[in-house]
């Protein structure tokens, strides 16, 4: 059993030729992670971008921060806020990068996720979720999509399997801040 096509393709080389292969996707609780009710739905001005993940190299938050700066340099009138929900060893470096790029007023570092209810509220309060990971598990992608949010993902691991380009999200190459900026 595999959780996605990427995993099945990668591990198939270790299986016997006629050994059965099945995908049994991991689940999320759709009683909690569900589209918002009308009274929970919001529109935003400025555009609210959400990042959820551990603040490590692998999660690629640096590329989202660079994309925010790039989007602002492309369109000086863009109204854009980014909320970063996570903790990890790169927090100070990411805050310093935001200051260096002069966009620290466009970013909020929210700390770690304390409950499912809290993260669902963050999804509802955002317009788009950006997960610019260099390698990735896909739980956050599924949670955001289940909450009715479009997602920007990198074409790594199984993320792209869940995205229909332009319908429920966008797929970019890893480390491609310019493409993320254009989408924003």
């Amino acid at each position: 059993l595999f959780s996605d096509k990427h995993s099945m393709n990668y591990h198939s080389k270790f299986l016997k030729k006629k050994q059965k292969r099945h995908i049994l996707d991991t689940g999320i609780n759709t009683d909690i992670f569900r589209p918002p009710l009308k009274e929970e739905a919001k529109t935003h001005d400025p555009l609210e971008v959400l990042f959820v993940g551990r603040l490590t190299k692998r999660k690629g938050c640096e590329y989202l921060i660079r994309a925010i700066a790039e989007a602002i340099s492309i369109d000086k009138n863009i109204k854009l806020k980014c909320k970063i929900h996570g903790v990890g060893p790169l927090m100070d470096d990411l805050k310093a990068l935001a200051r260096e790029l002069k966009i620290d007023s466009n970013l909020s570092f929210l700390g770690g996720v304390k409950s499912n209810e809290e993260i669902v509220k963050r999804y509802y309060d955002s317009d788009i979720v950006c997960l610019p990971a260099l390698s990735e598990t896909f739980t956050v992608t599924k949670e955001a999509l289940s909450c009715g949010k479009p997602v920007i993902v990198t074409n790594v691991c199984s993320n792209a399997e869940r995205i229909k380009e332009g319908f429920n999200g966008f797929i970019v190459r890893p480390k491609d801040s310019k493409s993320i900026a254009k989408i924003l």
Side-chain angles (χ1 to χ4, degrees):
L1 291 177
F2 301 95
S3 59
D4 53 70
K5 289 178 193 172
H6 172 79
S7 179
M8 183 172 69
N9 291 338
Y10 176 80
H11 289 94
S12 286
K13 62 188 168 194
F14 302 109
L15 301 176
K16 296 175 186 169
K17 287 191 189 270
K18 294 190 180 195
Q19 193 168 355
K20 291 184 181 180
R21 296 158 176 85
H22 296 284
I23 294 174
L24 180 62
D25 203 351
T26 56
I28 59 170
N29 186 338
T30 55
D31 290 334
I32 296 171
F33 298 98
R34 58 165 178 73
L37 303 172
K38 284 191 179 194
E39 61 271 12
E40 295 168 319
K42 297 177 181 174
T43 56
H44 303 96
D45 184 26
L47 180 73
E48 295 261 349
V49 182
L50 178 65
F51 170 90
V52 179
R54 187 143 166 74
L55 302 181
T56 61
K57 255 316 192 200
R58 179 175 87 84
K59 295 294 186 170
C61 187
E62 166 191 348
Y63 304 102
L64 172 57
I65 292 171
R66 292 185 184 284
I68 299 292
E70 177 76 16
I72 291 169
S73 75
I74 291 169
D75 180 357
K76 301 280 187 232
N77 297 318
I78 192 170
K79 295 178 183 175
L80 189 58
K81 291 286 183 184
C82 179
K83 294 183 178 176
I84 297 172
H85 213 321
V87 294
L90 294 183
M91 182 172 303
D92 291 338
D93 293 342
L94 294 171
K95 287 179 178 180
L97 176 62
R99 282 190 303 275
E100 175 188 324
L101 296 171
K102 297 180 174 48
I103 59 162
D104 48 321
S105 64
N106 297 82
L107 273 75
S108 300
F109 287 83
L110 306 174
V113 176
K114 294 176 182 50
S115 68
N116 284 339
E117 291 74 21
E118 176 190 21
I119 195 59
V120 166
K121 182 179 179 339
R122 297 285 184 212
Y123 290 135
Y124 290 172
D125 288 345
S126 68
D127 295 303
I128 191 164
V129 177
C130 184
L131 305 168
L134 306 181
S135 69
E136 186 58 61
T137 55
F138 42 79
T139 303
V140 174
T141 303
K142 291 191 315 184
E143 289 175 357
L145 291 171
S146 292
C147 288
K149 296 301 167 177
V151 183
I152 300 170
V153 298
T154 48
N155 193 11
V156 297
C157 300
S158 66
N159 279 337
E161 291 177 29
R162 300 174 193 312
I163 301 301
K164 183 177 175 187
E165 185 76 28
F167 176 73
N168 65 349
F170 304 90
I171 304 165
V172 298
R173 292 181 318 273
K175 302 181 181 182
D176 190 353
S177 298
K178 289 186 186 295
S179 291
I180 296 169
K182 287 177 185 174
I183 292 166
L184 296 176

